[in-house]
Amino acid sequence: MSQAKTASQVMSVKKPAVKKSAAKTPKKQSRSEPFAVIPLKELAVFPRMILPLFMARPASLRALDGAMETGSQVVLLTQMNAQHAYPEPQELPKIGVLANVLQSLRLPDGSTRVMVECRQRVRLTRWLHSDPYLKARFISIDETEATPTAEQKVLIELMMRQFEHYMQQSQQHVPEMVEHVPALEDPGALADMIAAYLNASVIEKQTILETLDPFARLEAAGRLLSRSMELQSIENEIHGKIRQSIDQHQKEFFLREKLRAIREELGEESENELESYRLKIHKLPLEEARTKANRELLRLEKLPAMSSESGVIRTYLDTVLDLPWESDKVEVPPLADASDLLDREHFGLDKVKDRILEYLAVQQLTGKPPKTVLCLSGPPGVGKTSLARAIAEATGRKFERIALGGVGDDAEIRGHRRTYIGALPGRLLQALQRAKTTHTVILLDELDKLTKRFSGDPASALLEVLDPEQNNAFRDHYLELPFDLSQVMFVCAANVLHTIPKPLLDRLQVVRLSGYTLSEKMEIARRHLIPKQAEESGMKGESVTITRQGLEDLIQFYTREAGVRELERQLGQLFRFLARKKIEAKKFTKRYSQADQFTEALGPLRYRDLEALRQNQIGHVNGLAWTQTGGSVLPIEVARTPGKGRLRTTGNLGDVMKESMQLALACLRQQAEALGLDQDLMLASDFHAHAPEGAIPKDGPSAGIAIASALASTISQRPARYDVAMTGEITLLGRVLPIGGLKEKLLAAFREQHHTVIIPEANRSDLAEIPAEILEKMTVIPVSHIREVLEIVLEPVKKTQPTAKNSVAKKQTPKASPAKKATGNKKSA
């Protein structure tokens, strides 16, 4: 790509002699000669010009290299269509300019700066080739000189005076150009100079270049010059009006400043703003802050009151003076009071409360917040934000919440530099401005939803904030001063941990909130949710009662969640329905004791009773999965058809889960004899494995034993127990490996009434964190091999036929396809 600066800024003109000489006349060429061609984008050149070109297009650079090898001459043609990245030969004009390459310089960005001297017009005779660069034959155009008539002499004189006047009045005034104008007595050269300097289109300039008669060319240039002089006159008039308006504003500003000074001398101002700043700055405890603020105040004194910069300085001083540089000591409540407060505000979560009380005990002994940062991790609705509020209340601190969801700029944490318009400090300092004390609990909510953009990485900026060894001298880009954050107690909240960058997660003490059991949800609803919704809906005191059985039915048939957020929404909808009935003076139910009574307010049951579907089926096994919203039951279904041992998978599965299905089938084939499976039947059958709810993505290795059990049930035609759920990763040799998220998965199995759960033997120690209420009502069986899994989940073989006929029954097994009808659809039930 060839580019050049504006001709009026870069063009030099070779000063012609007053007397014409044969040396200055282009050498005549009797035949066409081949030259490399460089198309110029948005630029037209004329003979006698010396100007730099900036080339970046590969073909143009190759043309330059070719020209340097054959005499340093190149033909410059104007590209008429600037939209094309590189023009075709037929799109270029027939007339161009032959130029000598005086200098070539490669630039660091890959482009090339070339200084060229335009010599003469040339005409295209024939194209030679366009690859690797444009090359054609050209013949020189002999610009014959004719003796001008008296009228033509007057035209030349008039054009020289007009062009000189235009150059003196325009912003493109070049002294050496004005000096050379009187020497241009050649009408063709004068026309070329005028056309080169005028602000005209490329098409108009190319038209002048193709006008070969000198006087006709001069007349065409004169028309462009007249139009440019009219436009220049209008532009000068507009500039004059603007300058007059600016002078008027400066006059008004001077008078206002003089009036302000007179009023200050008369003592008419109610208070001295600068003196107020000075007194506040003197009270700052940090010497560096005092020095910086005094320097800004000195700048403010020298600036006019109406200056935009004075407003920026005032905002900065207000920010510095509003920050809590030192905070009064806050008396920490006794640990027993903090424990009572946590029990009063939150039911259950005993291990989480113990961890919080440990932190508070350290703070009471040392007088400082612990050097590790709590990170509350768990599904939505389990009370992470309310726990952070309870920590602030238990420690006697103020509470501020910073939502980090979607934040993708580190300036949100470190602040904007004051070089930007509308710069502000980061969210941390803004929160401390509101709190007016460093004895604050700041909740960094949605930590797992930080994003990273080209403008910065906020997670990296948080490394300094959350590191107790560094944050005692935190520097905000807007403040440009060290600020002590060591007295601030930071609490983070996140739904998942795998999206948090590892360096940031390394600075956090993770406390997991897995979810609530049925009894905990009922107690939370009785203590907190029902009174809250009754008061918010105006139904407090109306004696609306929800019995224990009614509340249990509401939870079982209208909610499926780890927390209590959906339960609170359903209770809110119920009380709003009752409020409307009250306003309409209609009768409404005041006592709810069973599920059918909720249908009028909440609609039909969202989750039906599964008793009718609870039956053992061939090829249907219940796995357990972990999601961002808690645990979930993941049913696996397998069907068998005659084939060649292939496996097909459906259900929006991830790569890991697809590999688990392939691995489970390979494991059963390898362990077929030990597991009592028919190897020939597996090789003569195709299997289709499906995970229902295909619109939901599923991935992970922990469904390995569930997939293997479903395949074994289909192969052996032994029904799988519906009341059994399982989780565990399987190996090729049948070993069961440990998994994560055990508590969430057991809670999901408990919600779905699967009373027997198979887990890996390596996860036995994790049962210590499971609530006793769950373990008392469930049978948890640790296993270490797939053989143990199949003995538990598959029904025993019914021996109803003589032994001698077993081989016949075995061969007829593939025809028993009606027994494989899958009726289980857990998640939609």
Side-chain angles (χ1 to χ4, degrees), residues 330-345 356-357 360 363-364 386-398 441 489:
V330 179
E331 183 178 354
V332 180
L335 195 63
D337 295 345
S339 178
D340 294 340
L341 174 66
L342 291 174
D343 290 336
R344 185 171 63 252
E345 295 293 331
I356 294 173
L357 292 175
L360 300 183
Q363 183 178 0
Q364 286 191 0
S386 59
L387 269 175
R389 292 182 184 275
I391 292 174
E393 188 174 351
T395 56
R397 292 168 171 259
K398 290 191 175 182
V441 173
M489 188 173 183

Side-chain angles (χ1 to χ4, degrees), residues 187-252:
L190 180 60
D192 289 344
M193 177 183 289
I194 293 174
Y197 271 85
L198 293 182
N199 186 14
S201 66
V202 173
I203 297 177
E204 293 173 331
K205 291 187 177 183
Q206 181 64 28
T207 302
I208 293 177
L209 181 67
E210 294 177 355
T211 304
L212 302 182
D213 183 75
F215 293 101
R217 189 191 312 159
L218 186 59
E219 290 177 358
R223 288 191 292 271
L224 290 180
L225 179 60
S226 299
R227 188 186 67 182
S228 299
M229 292 182 68
E230 292 178 1
L231 295 176
Q232 185 65 43
S233 176
I234 296 173
E235 184 177 354
N236 291 340
E237 182 180 354
I238 294 174
H239 281 301
K241 292 181 180 179
I242 294 175
R243 189 180 302 109
Q244 182 180 1
S245 176
I246 293 175
D247 293 340
Q248 180 65 24
H249 284 304
Q250 290 178 343
K251 179 181 178 181
E252 293 176 359

Side-chain angles (χ1 to χ4, degrees), residues 634-638 649-653 657 661 688-696 698:
L634 178 65
I636 302 293
E637 298 177 350
V638 175
T649 60
T650 55
N652 201 352
L653 308 179
M657 198 162 179
M661 290 187 172
H688 183 172
H690 175 66
E693 297 187 3
I696 301 176
K698 310 170 189 71

